[in-house]
Amino acid sequence: MTQTTPESPVRRQRAQVTVRTLRTDRWWLQPLLTFLGLASFLVYSFWAIFNNDYFVDPYIAPFSSPCLAESCPEGARFLGLAPFGEWYALPPALLILAFPAGFRFTCYYYRKSYYRSFWLSPAACAVQEPHGKYTGETRFPLLLQNLHRYFFYAAIAVGAILTYDAILALIHKPAGLGTYILLANAVLIWCYTLGCHSCRSITGGRLNHFSRHPVRYKMWQLVSKLNAKHQPFAWASMFSVMIADFYVRLVAMGVISFSFA
């Protein structure tokens, strides 16, 4: 506080804290674990994109589904179609991973996660961040966060395709362990996707009277329950899709016996 005279008003200044934080707890542990979890997913995704062992009938690895080129094994083609024809010879994951990746990258929960763990903006509450200025999501590339709702529509299609793959596996290999791994993954993907904030806004937004829209009100109630657990579903679905994808590739590579799988 500055010195004052009887004639001058009291003037206060902000506390001048020069240390990064005064917290004494292990505040760094959560952003560190978040960083390791997200980084492991990124590393696995990069490996899976360029791994060609993604199909063993009736299982197809989620990262490579749908397979839309003639270079895909015949049984792996979605609905037997190959709209990209012969010219496309790159890994099938490159065609479709941008959509679920974009949905997760622009997700409200994941934004908080990687802002804090990768960019330290900020790393935790009451911890000084290393950046000199803050522009929010008003400039490129963070301006692309506004595409989240459109990525949500694409995520609905991806969830439907993964459900289709799981049902096919259930029909053709009802006793297979891989079948139930794919089914569990599809359920968690739907719980995460439908719990999205955009989905909650779409189902219940712009309604002044829920009583006049009973169907949408029921949908909004269900979505709100999923939305309350959006964070755990975000992590559970991220690891479930990675586990399901890795399992199918292990079977396709012969590491796991198909008769067991």
Side-chain angles (χ1 to χ4, degrees), residues 94-152:
L94 288 175
L95 284 174
I96 47 92
L97 267 186
F99 298 105
F103 178 59
R104 288 184 185 264
F105 185 81
T106 58
C107 165
Y108 292 105
Y109 168 69
Y110 279 115
R111 292 187 210 180
K112 183 188 80 171
S113 295
Y114 63 76
Y115 285 177
R116 292 188 174 186
S117 59
F118 282 81
W119 295 345
L120 306 178
S121 182
C125 295
V127 176
Q128 188 181 84
E129 62 175 289
H131 307 286
K133 62 179 181 178
Y134 174 75
T135 58
E137 297 173 347
T138 61
R139 296 182 181 179
F140 183 85
L142 297 186
L143 189 63
L144 297 177
Q145 304 287 27
N146 295 317
L147 297 176
H148 182 59
R149 173 167 291 200
Y150 303 102
F151 279 121
F152 166 73

Side-chain angles (χ1 to χ4, degrees), residues 30 34 38 104 107-110 112-113 184-185 187-197 223-241 243:
Q30 183 172 347
T34 301
L38 295 177
R104 288 184 185 264
C107 165
Y108 292 105
Y109 168 69
Y110 279 115
K112 183 188 80 171
S113 295
N185 175 59
V187 170
L188 289 173
I189 290 292
W190 279 118
C191 288
Y192 166 65
T193 303
L194 296 180
C196 166
H197 295 75
V223 170
S224 295
K225 291 178 180 179
L226 295 174
N227 180 259
K229 299 183 180 297
H230 197 48
Q231 176 176 334
F233 280 135
W235 282 102
S237 62
M238 188 184 80
F239 281 105
S240 74
V241 71
I243 291 170

Side-chain angles (χ1 to χ4, degrees), residues 166-174 179:
I167 291 174
L168 280 184
L170 182 63
I171 293 173
H172 296 290
K173 197 172 177 61
T179 295

Side-chain angles (χ1 to χ4, degrees), residues 14-259:
R14 294 181 62 183
Q16 301 300 309
V17 180
T18 57
V19 295
R20 187 180 185 192
T21 181
L22 297 177
R23 290 179 60 169
T24 57
D25 63 324
R26 292 185 293 180
W27 58 265
W28 47 268
L29 183 59
Q30 183 172 347
L32 174 61
L33 294 176
T34 301
F35 173 85
L36 293 175
L38 295 177
S40 66
F41 184 76
L42 292 174
V43 170
Y44 175 79
S45 299
F46 184 80
W47 172 81
I49 287 175
F50 297 99
N51 178 272
N52 292 321
D53 298 301
Y54 55 83
F55 176 71
V56 53
D57 198 17
Y59 303 148
I60 181 169
F63 280 24
S64 298
S65 179
C67 211
L68 301 173
E70 290 192 12
S71 60
C72 303
E74 187 172 349
R77 298 173 191 171
F78 182 65
L79 299 176
L81 303 175
F84 283 84
E86 297 180 353
W87 66 269
Y88 185 85
L90 296 174
L94 288 175
L95 284 174
I96 47 92
L97 267 186
F99 298 105
F103 178 59
R104 288 184 185 264
F105 185 81
T106 58
C107 165
Y108 292 105
Y109 168 69
Y110 279 115
R111 292 187 210 180
K112 183 188 80 171
S113 295
Y114 63 76
Y115 285 177
R116 292 188 174 186
S117 59
F118 282 81
W119 295 345
L120 306 178
S121 182
C125 295
V127 176
Q128 188 181 84
E129 62 175 289
H131 307 286
K133 62 179 181 178
Y134 174 75
T135 58
E137 297 173 347
T138 61
R139 296 182 181 179
F140 183 85
L142 297 186
L143 189 63
L144 297 177
Q145 304 287 27
N146 295 317
L147 297 176
H148 182 59
R149 173 167 291 200
Y150 303 102
F151 279 121
F152 166 73
Y153 298 138
I156 290 291
V158 171
I161 291 169
L162 294 182
T163 302
Y164 172 79
D165 293 339
I167 291 174
L168 280 184
L170 182 63
I171 293 173
H172 296 290
K173 197 172 177 61
L177 176 60
T179 295
Y180 294 96
I181 291 177
L182 292 176
L183 284 171
N185 175 59
V187 170
L188 289 173
I189 290 292
W190 279 118
C191 288
Y192 166 65
T193 303
L194 296 180
C196 166
H197 295 75
S198 289
C199 184
R200 190 168 183 263
S201 175
I202 291 169
T203 54
R206 298 186 179 183
L207 293 181
N208 294 325
H209 305 282
F210 275 129
S211 58
R212 297 180 182 177
H213 305 272
V215 175
R216 287 185 63 181
Y217 178 56
K218 290 293 183 182
M219 293 172 61
W220 179 82
Q221 285 183 310
L222 173 61
V223 170
S224 295
K225 291 178 180 179
L226 295 174
N227 180 259
K229 299 183 180 297
H230 197 48
Q231 176 176 334
F233 280 135
W235 282 102
S237 62
M238 188 184 80
F239 281 105
S240 74
V241 71
M242 184 164 58
I243 291 170
D245 187 88
F246 189 52
Y247 182 85
V248 173
R249 293 179 193 275
L250 289 178
V251 177
M253 290 185 290
V255 176
I256 297 177
S257 171
F258 181 74
S259 58

